Amino acid sequence: MSQYCTFALDGHVFGVPVSSVQEVLRSQDLTVVPLAPDDIAGLLNLRGQIVTMLELRARLGLPPREPDAPSVNVVVKSPDGGAVSLVVDEIGDVLAPSRDAFEAPPDTVPASIRSLVTRVCKLDTHLMLLLDTERAITSEGMS
Amino acid sequence: MDGLDEIIGEFLVESHENLDQLDRDLIALERDPSSSTLLASVFRTIHTIKGTSGFLAFSILESVTHVGESLLARLRDGELALTPGLTSLLLEVVDAVRSLLTNIEHTGAEGTQTYDDLVARLAAVLDGALPEDPAAPEATDDNAEADEPGEDGDVEESAEDEEPEAVLPAPTTLGVVPPRAPEAAEGPDPAASEEPAEGRRSVADSTIRVDVALLDSLMNLVGELVLTRNQMLQRAATREDVELARTTHRLNLVAGELQESVMKMRLQQIDTLWSKLPRVVRDLSVQLGKTVELDMRGKETELDKTILEAVRDPLTHLVRNSIDHGIEKPDVRTAQGKPAHGTLSMRAFHEGGQVNIEITDDGAGIDPTRLRDKAVSKGLMDRETAARLSDHEAVNLIFTPGFSTAEGVTNVSGRGVGMDVVRTNIERIGGAIDLSSEPGEGTTVRIRIPLTLAIIPALVVAAAGHRFAIPQVNLLELVRLDAAQAATAIESVHGSPVYRLRGRLLPLVDLREQLDLPAVQRETTYVAVLKADNQQYGLVVDDILDTEEIVVKPLGTHLRQLPLYAGATIMGDGAVALILDATALARRAGMTPEAELGTLAAHGTDAGEDAASLLLVELGDGRRAAIPVAAVDRLEEIERGRIERAGHHEVVQHRGQILPLVRLDHVLHGDAGHQGLSTLQVVVCRQGEQQAGVVVNAILDIVEATLEARTPLDSTGGDGSAVVSGHVTELVDIAQVFAGLPSGGRLAWSA
């Protein structure tokens, strides 16, 4: 049974495989990159490694976060061996749903999200949208 | 002889590595005798050693490996099955080869042991005999049927012609060689030479091969350490803790030395790149019907692997260009009284922490008039501008994009892409390229490139609360203007701001504007004068913070499309700062090659013969002195506490070097008025390869002065005095400054 690290974004619950998550960081000093696209929140110093922070709301076409609203960095491994940080609203629990709880994303999931969501998991009270981490962090999927 | 020694050295290192692999392979093979890949690998290794030993005339080695190879060939072809007995025999071959190699390494010869017995036993196996099996006697049975006495032809041959002639040459070689290695004097006993003299490491043990990825990660770690050190230094500076200060000082030293050692590990000789050139030169000159002699000096000059890769193509291009356009055909040359064969000389050397490469040909040279005409006909500039260019500037037009001087396009070069690409590539790695040419005499191209790219000195500036790093190679000077000065000195040409810098108009680029950052109103304007692609501009920033050694880190894939940033780095306080690409910034600001040629031309007219750039300084007793800017490397502020002593001289450690300090007061026999100051103003001067820090009381200005009222009067019999900016100023003779330093001013480099 696979484990998923969950987090909240604009009221949705997303999940990524635990194996792809390197670490979760709460507030971090970030360096803004002038002229960078909207979905790049900035750069952060992760023990000497410079990590790009992706604003996942912008990636998914969701409305921007309220100013001063708290955010959390989910640092995931990138295919080139480095790391990329996904900026999310709030971190959730690690879940291990059974295999048959998964389904293809229903049409009710907004189109902007659907491109980066592979499957949907039916939990007791809500749905967990399984994020395609690789697509979410590679530049070609960029809006 | 040197060449041969080198070949033997390489052969030894390679063979030792191969033998270790062979041991492992054979043992693995015994476990899995059916593996054809393992067998093939073992076969290849033995085959390689055999081939090279034959070439180097090590006949015993050749005979042993030859029979070993024949046996392996049988095994590989499935004619024999591997038994423990055969494995032992093959391991014996490996041991024999190893001991022969050890002998060769220590005495230069193979030694007296001829391994007749081993060769005979191997030959016997090839003839169909069963090998005796000391390790596992029961295993021999399955060998019986595998042994086909079918093709004995080559087997017999190998047994026959190896043995007799293999034995003979060895003793004769031995008699000749001992003088080469001191150990051999003790006697040609192979056992003695197997144990090397104490303290001496064998060739194979003194070097190891390391994965480049591992080196890169080590470099990263050292980068981290350097950053942590910077943080420590910043913290420690604010505290009154002597113990902490001492520890950080020590950390500073160790980190510096570690950084240098790791950097050295990444260095490779330029020969790895040059060794390909003789072939290029030969092929090209044959193709073009020219005879060219290639003369290469400084092959052992070392530079970082990444830089080496980056200059590979530009260098090849320049060499091809020299042969194609530079050197004339033999009949033309003889008609001009030159030797029929052209000479292409390449020189590489280190100077001031940079690598210089010079490519000189004795060909036709470049005619500056033709280049001026061409620039006009291509519409790059008008005739007057072209006429104002000096010859040197005119020949350097060759690096302008879209400029080709070849009369006809050959398949070698001359399509007008090339020289500009060469320059772009050199500048991308922070280098500079310059061409000088004497029509009819030849052309010299000089390239200056940094030793390494991983850690570079940079200037940190601030704009709208952000910090940015600018590589020091792009920086020319810094200008600070207060509100009143800014109001008059900054003018506008067609709506774009310019600054009048010593009579020259310098285009200004506002960093905040370029980066879409909010403008911040400040009292003072700071301008960093940058050069990129031969153009100069002033970058307006909010503040100039510091110079720092920074570790360059690449940006993630998401940000690669932003050419403005050359990378990022981590500052002393742990925050990330972006590194600005001065060239991309100029492009973004809309600066064009015309603007570049404009400044170039203006520069050409301004710098007349009798005008000189002078750095004005003040001495302790209020006198003024002027140092030629040409001799000045940079200006530094050095804290008193950093001054140490070496012999009778004051020195300061700077960027891993020991910089000797010279008090200008002493040179000019004045009163040392600045003893009490906590920071010293130091003008780092250069003469040839020497550097020295000239300590002055204050740095006043840089002026472009025509030295009108000049007298031979001064305190030392130096260059005399002149009136500069309305004050009588002594002109510092830089040679005199260096004359006071020990042994021509050369102090040892720190380790």
Side-chain angles (χ1 to χ4, degrees):
Chain A
M1 220 169 357
S2 310
Q3 292 189 313
Y4 295 91
C5 171
T6 63
F7 49 82
L9 262 185
D10 194 32
H12 301 276
V13 174
F14 286 87
V16 290
V18 163
S19 56
S20 66
V21 177
Q22 187 179 314
E23 59 193 292
V24 175
L25 303 168
R26 302 220 171 252
S27 65
Q28 276 287 319
D29 290 335
L30 69 102
T31 299
V32 174
V33 182
L35 306 178
D38 284 346
D39 56 359
I40 295 193
L43 300 173
L44 73 88
N45 169 13
L46 183 66
R47 294 182 299 276
Q49 191 186 2
I50 291 176
V51 172
T52 309
M53 297 163 75
L54 291 182
E55 181 53 76
L56 204 52
R57 275 181 177 246
R59 296 285 280 164
L60 293 166
L62 297 172
R65 196 173 299 115
E66 295 286 316
D68 303 326
S71 66
V72 180
N73 284 287
V74 180
V75 181
V76 295
K77 296 166 191 127
S78 70
D80 59 9
V84 173
S85 168
L86 302 172
V87 184
V88 303
D89 296 355
E90 208 179 314
I91 193 81
D93 295 329
V94 171
L95 301 175
S98 75
R99 200 173 285 264
D100 40 293
F102 286 96
E103 246 176 55
D107 294 342
T108 46
V109 175
S112 59
I113 296 179
R114 220 181 312 156
S115 64
L116 294 176
V117 169
T118 45
R119 287 191 305 151
V120 168
C121 175
K122 295 166 286 181
L123 302 174
D124 292 344
T125 54
H126 53 271
L127 292 178
M128 179 184 86
L129 308 170
L130 189 56
L131 191 71
D132 184 340
T133 341
E134 205 154 306
R135 268 187 75 106
I137 62 174
T138 44
S139 12
E140 80 233 42
M142 264 192 208
S143 39
Chain B
M1 203 56 203
D2 277 353
L4 191 58
D5 280 347
E6 206 174 289
I7 294 172
I8 293 176
E10 270 171 31
F11 167 63
L12 289 172
V13 172
E14 194 182 278
S15 302
H16 275 300
E17 280 169 13
N18 284 339
L19 287 175
D20 292 341
Q21 181 64 39
L22 213 53
D23 276 343
R24 285 193 294 273
D25 283 355
L26 281 173
I27 286 157
L29 199 58
E30 199 170 22
R31 239 174 271 139
D32 178 20
S34 57
S35 164
S36 51
T37 31
L38 275 175
L39 252 178
S41 145
V42 171
F43 179 81
R44 262 200 310 277
T45 312
I46 290 284
H47 181 77
T48 310
I49 299 179
K50 186 195 98 167
T52 320
S53 60
F55 167 69
L56 294 171
F58 293 125
S59 52
I60 307 178
L61 190 56
E62 191 187 2
S63 76
V64 172
T65 45
H66 182 86
V67 273
E69 186 194 356
S70 306
L71 184 62
L72 283 164
R74 292 282 198 91
L75 288 166
R76 188 191 53 179
D77 299 343
E79 291 168 23
L80 277 177
L82 190 72
T83 63
L86 277 179
T87 310
S88 309
L89 211 48
L90 285 170
L91 285 172
E92 248 183 275
V93 170
V94 175
D95 289 342
V97 171
R98 200 189 296 275
S99 118
L100 283 165
L101 289 174
T102 315
N103 287 354
I104 292 168
E105 187 174 334
H106 294 295
T107 67
E110 294 171 292
T112 45
Q113 174 85 307
T114 55
Y115 299 99
D116 294 344
D117 168 56
L118 177 63
V119 172
R121 272 188 291 144
L122 282 161
V125 173
L126 290 167
D127 279 341
L130 295 184
E132 57 181 284
D133 199 339
E138 94 282 46
T140 32
D141 358 350
D142 49 33
N143 192 32
E145 44 88 47
D147 202 353
E148 288 172 68
E151 310 99 32
D152 265 1
D154 69 312
V155 179
E156 235 140 48
E157 189 188 21
S158 68
E160 260 170 32
D161 68 21
E162 294 314 318
E163 247 185 281
E165 77 176 332
V167 190
L168 283 172
T172 46
T173 2
L174 189 74
V176 189
V177 175
R180 196 197 292 173
E183 294 94 309
E186 294 159 22
D189 179 7
S193 46
E194 242 164 23
E195 277 165 348
E198 92 285 346
R200 176 176 159 169
R201 276 183 289 178
S202 71
V203 176
D205 290 341
S206 62
T207 60
I208 55 166
R209 292 189 186 201
V210 182
D211 193 347
V212 175
L214 187 64
L215 274 188
D216 286 345
S217 86
L218 188 58
M219 192 74 205
N220 274 336
L221 287 174
V222 170
E224 284 327 300
L225 187 66
V226 168
L227 294 171
T228 317
R229 175 200 65 183
N230 292 352
Q231 287 175 23
M232 282 284 285
L233 288 177
Q234 279 188 8
R235 277 289 168 86
T238 60
R239 299 188 186 202
E240 303 274 315
D241 186 338
V242 183
E243 198 52 46
L244 181 65
R246 204 170 291 151
T247 316
T248 47
H249 181 67
R250 177 104 197 102
L251 175 69
N252 190 7
L253 281 181
V254 174
E257 285 184 20
L258 184 64
Q259 179 186 339
E260 204 173 318
S261 306
V262 173
M263 216 106 87
K264 273 191 192 145
M265 275 173 27
R266 293 171 52 92
L267 298 184
Q268 281 189 316
Q269 296 197 349
I270 198 165
D271 194 37
T272 52
L273 204 142
W274 279 10
S275 55
K276 311 265 186 311
L277 292 177
R279 177 68 195 273
V280 172
V281 170
R282 187 214 155 262
D283 285 359
L284 203 56
S285 46
V286 167
Q287 190 188 337
L288 297 168
K290 298 175 180 178
T291 44
V292 179
E293 229 171 69
L294 182 63
D295 173 33
M296 299 196 284
R297 286 174 202 191
K299 286 183 187 180
E300 65 290 337
T301 309
E302 289 180 315
L303 57 164
D304 191 278
K305 200 176 157 55
T306 40
I307 300 223
L308 213 53
E309 288 305 314
V311 295
R312 178 188 302 273
D313 290 345
L315 268 190
T316 316
H317 190 93
L318 290 172
V319 166
R320 294 172 77 96
N321 249 344
S322 278
I323 298 171
D324 194 19
H325 306 312
I327 292 169
E328 314 91 329
K329 288 203 191 304
D331 48 331
V332 181
R333 292 182 63 90
T334 28
Q336 288 172 349
K338 290 186 191 177
H341 64 85
T343 306
L344 183 68
S345 37
M346 302 189 65
R347 209 157 79 86
F349 57 97
H350 286 279
E351 193 185 72
Q354 286 197 306
V355 179
N356 289 253
I357 304 173
E358 287 180 8
I359 303 167
T360 308
D361 66 58
D362 63 347
I366 300 170
D367 182 4
T369 321
R370 244 183 62 209
L371 283 176
R372 284 196 191 96
D373 292 347
K374 195 131 196 170
V376 175
S377 70
K378 291 215 174 239
L380 292 173
M381 58 177 71
D382 55 44
R383 183 141 302 275
E384 293 93 87
T385 318
R388 276 207 308 272
L389 295 178
S390 72
D391 284 357
H392 182 246
E393 283 161 354
V395 292
N396 278 284
L397 285 173
I398 202 161
F399 294 115
T400 317
F403 217 92
S404 172
T405 53
E407 298 294 314
V409 171
T410 65
N411 68 342
V412 181
S413 46
R415 282 183 211 87
V417 289
M419 288 304 254
D420 61 316
V421 177
V422 167
R423 184 173 77 177
T424 314
N425 285 344
I426 297 288
E427 285 180 350
R428 189 172 296 148
I429 53 168
I433 187 165
D434 181 69
L435 185 142
S436 55
S437 182
E438 196 63 42
E441 299 291 321
T443 306
T444 299
V445 179
R446 281 185 198 85
I447 300 174
R448 279 175 77 85
I449 39 179
L451 257 179
T452 178
L453 292 179
I455 299 183
I456 57 166
L459 177 79
V460 184
V461 300
H466 300 266
R467 275 182 294 178
F468 299 94
I470 303 170
Q472 200 96 51
V473 287
N474 295 117
L475 187 68
L476 290 174
E477 62 183 291
L478 298 172
V479 178
R480 179 178 170 278
L481 300 169
D482 59 37
Q485 282 173 312
T488 57
I490 295 181
E491 295 158 89
S492 156
V493 175
H494 297 299
S496 38
V498 292
Y499 170 65
R500 204 183 284 252
L501 178 68
R502 292 189 293 281
R504 262 172 68 193
L505 292 183
L506 185 75
L508 290 182
V509 173
D510 192 316
L511 184 58
R512 292 155 301 199
E513 203 176 289
Q514 293 308 320
L515 297 179
D516 291 340
L517 294 172
V520 181
Q521 278 305 323
R522 289 180 75 108
E523 288 276 294
T524 31
T525 307
Y526 291 93
V527 180
V529 181
L530 305 183
K531 84 174 167 209
D533 262 350
N534 259 8
Q535 57 197 39
Q536 291 182 12
Y537 62 96
L539 187 68
V540 180
V541 296
D542 287 343
D543 204 355
I544 286 164
L545 300 171
D546 201 359
T547 56
E548 216 173 292
E549 300 262 296
I550 59 164
V551 180
V552 180
K553 299 190 176 243
L555 289 172
T557 43
H558 302 90
L559 295 168
R560 299 251 165 90
Q561 80 231 28
L562 294 173
L564 229 45
Y565 308 117
T569 189
I570 296 170
M571 307 306 303
D573 59 3
V576 179
L578 291 155
I579 303 169
L580 293 174
D581 182 321
T583 313
L585 202 54
R587 298 247 163 83
R588 185 177 164 84
M591 292 180 58
T592 55
E594 278 97 310
E596 161 192 351
L597 293 168
T599 39
L600 211 88
H603 181 60
T605 45
D606 274 357
E609 278 103 298
D610 47 357
S613 275
L614 296 171
L615 176 74
L616 291 184
V617 297
E618 195 184 70
L619 299 184
D621 50 9
R623 281 190 292 158
R624 285 180 166 223
I627 303 172
V629 168
V632 176
D633 251 14
R634 55 181 191 273
L635 305 178
E636 296 272 355
E637 277 188 353
I638 290 175
E639 277 153 46
R640 270 188 87 74
R642 282 178 57 201
I643 297 180
E644 296 171 75
R645 297 193 76 86
H648 298 298
H649 294 270
E650 287 180 316
V651 295
V652 64
Q653 293 178 34
H654 190 72
R655 293 186 190 152
Q657 277 174 241
I658 298 175
L659 185 73
L661 294 181
V662 178
R663 304 257 178 182
L664 196 56
D665 288 320
H666 296 181
V667 177
L668 300 179
H669 307 295
D671 301 329
H674 50 55
Q675 294 290 0
L677 299 174
S678 64
T679 48
L680 302 181
Q681 302 294 327
V682 176
V683 182
V684 180
C685 294
R686 157 182 307 282
Q687 187 186 47
E689 285 191 38
Q690 294 168 225
Q691 278 191 342
V694 176
V695 182
V696 300
N697 200 37
I699 289 159
L700 301 173
D701 199 3
I702 294 181
V703 292
E704 201 85 31
T706 38
L707 305 173
E708 288 147 358
R710 207 174 154 156
T711 72
L713 273 180
D714 69 12
S715 43
T716 58
D719 267 5
S721 333
V723 174
V724 178
S725 309
H727 295 267
V728 173
T729 305
E730 286 182 47
L731 303 176
V732 176
D733 178 8
I734 210 73
Q736 200 179 1
V737 171
F738 280 90
L741 295 172
S743 61
R746 298 210 71 154
L747 280 170
W749 304 105
S750 68

